[in-house]
């Protein structure tokens, strides 16, 4: 029943916009992620509201993850809802995400692995613990807020949180999802193809033509002609639109060895395997727009091992851990490149 569906735009694991039945699709961009939530109660209610539910794990910065959900509340009789009613609905929609019911450390909830708070979107009101049975306060359903489900620390979350199963739709043509997409991300090669893809500018982003004095939806294309010996790729981790601004936490699967840029370059000089790059460093960013932390993974050219450089500490690391959704800058060196930097003993002389 289409009357039971809520269509929402999801960005950065958060719900940024819920579409109304009469909203047009002209504002939907090609790379927008839309979710359809099936909510059987709303077709029976005269009035209702929907409140986003988001997953978090405990961290020094905002650590939202996973697929959000919505709680629908029937407000036909009253604009307030009891904590007991919210608890029941939260447990229902969160059930598919529960791998084990082991409570996380410090939780006062015994039957689920997460705690849940009602958090107003504006102002400085403290979040209300809806699983605190002593808290029987009624919530104002008209106030803009979210339900914040906290799964404990990262290690506890990995133990109790069941990742969402993504099923291919027939419209994908049988292409299926590869490993990086199942992790909620894409491959670096796809980013490069998108960078060099010809596109038509969207409505609201037109080019002003000085000859005809009009804003036109023209086509735009970027091409690569010359490649450097040391290549630095910056992943677009921060997005600013007229509707929102936030950090992009999508996982980008990038190769540690053998990145071939020949097919993305127009210059024939870089064909025939003459544009192969190997990764030697990654700059990472954790946090959001309001604050965060930088650290780096680097490969020692003498021993060939990878190291985690975090403030004043440095430690050897597993190369498999270099790939992370917090990667921000990727540093590659072209194969066959001879480092012009003099050796230390020569520099001392």
């Amino acid at each position: 029943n289409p009357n039971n569906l809520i269509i929402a735009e999801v960005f950065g694991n958060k719900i940024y916009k819920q579409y109304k039945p009469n909203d047009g699709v002209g504002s939907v961009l090609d790379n927008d992620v839309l979710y359809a939530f099936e909510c059987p109660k709303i077709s029976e209610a005269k009035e209702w509201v929907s409140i986003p539910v988001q997953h978090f794990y405990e961290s020094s910065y905002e650590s939202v993850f996973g697929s959000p959900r919505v709680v629908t509340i029937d407000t036909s009789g009253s604009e307030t809802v009891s904590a007991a009613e919210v608890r029941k609905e939260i447990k229902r929609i969160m059930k598919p995400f529960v791998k084990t019911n082991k409570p996380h450390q410090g939780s006062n909830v015994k039957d689920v692995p997460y705690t849940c708070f009602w958090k107003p979107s504006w102002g400085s009101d403290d979040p209300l613990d809806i699983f605190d049975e002593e808290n029987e306060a009624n919530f104002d359903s008209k106030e803009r807020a979210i339900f914040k489900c906290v799964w404990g620390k990262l290690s506890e979350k990995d133990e109790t949180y069941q990742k969402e199963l993504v099923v291919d739709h027939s419209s994908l043509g049988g292409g299926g999802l590869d490993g990086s997409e199942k992790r909620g991300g894409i491959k670096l090669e796809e980013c490069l193809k998108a960078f060099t893809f010809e596109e038509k500018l969207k409505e609201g982003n037109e080019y002003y033509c000085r000859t005809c004095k009009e804003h036109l939806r023209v086509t735009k294309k970027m091409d690569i002609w010359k490649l450097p010996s040391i290549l630095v790729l910056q992943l677009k981790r921060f997005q600013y639109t007229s509707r929102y601004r936030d950090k992009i936490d999508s996982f980008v699967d990038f190769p540690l060895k053998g990145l071939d840029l020949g097919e993305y370059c127009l210059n024939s000089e870089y064909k025939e395997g003459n544009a192969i790059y190997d990764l030697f460093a990654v700059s990472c960013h954790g946090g959001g727009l309001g604050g965060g932390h930088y650290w780096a993974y680097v490969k020692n050219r003498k021993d060939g091992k990878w190291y985690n450089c975090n403030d004043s500490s440095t430690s050897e690391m597993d190369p498999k851990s270099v790939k992370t959704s917090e990667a921000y800058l990727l540093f590659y060196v072209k194969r066959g490149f001879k480092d012009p930097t003099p050796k230390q003993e020569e520099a001392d002389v």
Side-chain angles (χ1 to χ4, degrees), residues 46-340:
K46 294 182 180 179
E47 295 183 17
W48 55 272
V49 296
S50 60
I51 302 177
V53 181
Q54 296 168 186
H55 306 279
F56 292 80
Y57 62 86
E58 294 176 356
S59 175
S60 58
Y61 52 84
E62 187 178 69
S63 49
V64 61
F65 72 95
S67 299
R69 288 294 183 265
V70 293
V71 165
T72 54
I73 299 173
D74 186 344
T75 58
S76 304
S78 173
E79 293 185 357
T80 60
V81 60
S82 68
E85 182 180 349
V86 171
R87 281 197 294 269
K88 181 179 178 181
E89 188 65 11
I90 289 288
K91 289 182 178 181
R92 183 187 70 82
I93 67 172
M94 296 292 283
K95 188 175 181 180
F97 295 104
V98 176
K99 185 188 303 183
T100 172
N101 284 322
K102 179 183 177 181
H104 66 77
Q105 186 177 1
S107 172
N108 59 353
V109 185
K110 303 303 179 184
D111 57 343
V112 291
Y114 55 85
T115 50
C116 187
F117 302 89
W118 181 81
K119 185 178 182 301
S121 298
W122 307 110
S124 57
D125 294 343
D126 292 332
L128 296 178
D129 185 352
I130 67 167
F131 281 163
D132 183 357
E133 296 187 357
E134 296 182 358
N135 177 22
E136 293 302 329
N138 291 331
F139 301 97
D140 183 358
S141 60
K142 295 296 183 181
E143 184 171 0
R144 186 175 179 183
I146 66 168
F147 287 114
K148 180 177 180 179
C149 289
V150 182
W151 293 75
K153 297 180 180 179
L154 179 60
S155 58
E156 295 175 303
K157 182 268 292 185
D158 292 340
E159 182 180 348
T160 59
Y161 176 79
Q162 177 66 51
K163 292 183 180 180
E164 182 181 36
L165 175 64
V166 179
V167 181
D168 294 358
H169 190 269
S170 58
S171 63
L172 292 176
L177 299 177
D178 66 15
S180 62
E181 287 172 315
K182 288 178 181 177
R183 288 186 61 176
I186 58 176
K187 290 187 175 182
L188 179 62
E189 289 82 352
E190 294 177 78
C191 298
L192 292 168
K193 288 179 181 179
F195 180 76
T196 57
F197 185 75
E198 183 177 297
E199 60 178 323
K200 190 172 184 178
L201 297 182
K202 299 293 183 181
E203 182 179 345
N205 194 31
E206 297 92 341
Y207 169 78
Y208 180 73
C209 178
R210 297 180 182 274
T211 302
C212 59
K213 309 298 182 183
E214 293 182 1
H215 285 86
L216 305 175
R217 293 183 62 188
V218 299
T219 58
K220 179 191 75 171
K221 190 177 190 307
M222 302 285 286
D223 286 310
I224 301 174
W225 178 255
K226 188 175 182 180
L227 293 170
S229 298
I230 302 296
L231 175 71
V232 182
L233 296 177
Q234 177 180 332
L235 303 179
K236 187 177 180 180
R237 287 296 183 196
F238 301 95
Q239 178 164 325
Y240 303 85
T241 72
S242 59
R243 288 174 288 172
Y244 52 72
R245 58 185 63 189
D246 203 352
K247 183 183 176 184
I248 303 174
D249 293 311
S250 300
F251 172 73
V252 177
D253 187 1
F254 50 89
L256 302 188
K257 296 180 179 181
L259 174 63
D260 189 352
L261 297 183
E263 65 175 292
Y264 310 104
C265 193
L266 295 180
N267 193 338
S268 60
E269 174 189 346
Y270 299 105
K271 306 299 182 181
E272 305 298 331
N274 194 29
I276 308 298
Y277 288 81
D278 296 320
L279 187 74
F280 69 89
V282 179
S283 177
C284 302
H285 178 269
L289 289 178
H293 179 65
Y294 288 93
W295 66 98
Y297 302 143
V298 296
K299 184 178 182 180
N300 189 311
R301 62 179 178 178
K302 291 185 177 180
D303 61 19
K305 297 180 180 180
W306 281 90
Y307 293 87
N308 181 354
C309 302
N310 194 338
D311 289 341
S312 59
S313 65
T314 301
S315 58
E316 186 178 342
M317 63 180 296
D318 187 338
K320 295 179 181 179
S321 301
V322 173
K323 295 184 180 183
T324 170
S325 60
E326 294 168 317
Y328 185 28
L329 296 172
L330 308 177
F331 297 82
Y332 284 90
V333 58
K334 188 179 178 183
R335 286 187 182 175
F337 170 66
K338 294 183 179 180
D339 188 355

